[in-house]
Amino acid sequence: MGKNASLSTIQFAIENAISAGESTSNIAHEDHLVSSASSSPEHRALTVELMVHPGYPSIPEEGGCGEGPDDFSQSLDRVQELNILKNPELLKYYKRRNIQLCAFKDL
C-alpha cells in the first residue's frame, strides 16, 4: 500500500475480500444442500491477508533484506502504514465487523 495506504483503502480492500468470499460461498451452497448451521456463511471463517510492511525506515547501508536496504525499506511510507494500522478507528472497524487479527502461523 505504501504512500496510498489509508483507513479507507484498507476498509475497501477488506470489504471487497469479504464480498468475494461470500459470493464464492453462496455459489458452493447452491450446488449442495447444507444442513449444518456451522457451515452457513454467517458462521464460516474467512481469511484475508493484508500485504503491508509497516515499520521505520532502514538506515542506509544497514538493515533491509538480502543485499541491504532497498528504496521502500528506507521510505517514510513504512511509517505511514504503521500509523494507519495502529489507528484506533481501524481497530473499531475490526471490532464492528467481527474481524480477528492473527499471525499467519496461527492459520
Side-chain angles (χ1 to χ4, degrees):
M1 290 195 165
K3 66 182 173 189
N4 297 323
S6 70
L7 184 60
S8 61
T9 57
I10 289 177
Q11 290 173 336
F12 182 77
I14 291 171
E15 292 300 327
N16 280 342
I18 290 170
S19 293
E22 288 172 349
S23 296
T24 302
S25 175
N26 289 337
I27 291 168
H29 288 296
E30 288 173 9
D31 292 339
H32 304 286
L33 292 176
V34 178
S35 59
S36 170
S38 65
S39 296
S40 69
E42 299 84 34
H43 291 64
R44 291 185 47 187
L46 175 68
T47 302
V48 176
E49 178 183 8
L50 291 176
M51 178 71 168
V52 293
H53 294 90
Y56 300 100
S58 297
I59 299 169
E61 307 304 322
E62 294 181 26
C65 297
E67 297 186 23
D70 59 12
D71 289 342
F72 183 74
S73 72
Q74 297 179 67
S75 168
L76 290 175
D77 292 349
R78 298 186 68 206
V79 177
Q80 161 100 1
E81 289 183 353
L82 180 62
N83 289 334
I84 290 165
L85 294 172
K86 294 184 339 181
N87 184 323
E89 290 302 313
L90 185 58
L91 301 177
K92 288 178 190 174
Y93 167 77
Y94 293 151
K95 188 172 186 172
R96 215 173 33 254
R97 293 294 280 142
N98 198 26
I99 294 172
Q100 178 182 353
L101 301 179
C102 68
F104 186 77
K105 68 180 179 75
D106 297 329
L107 297 176

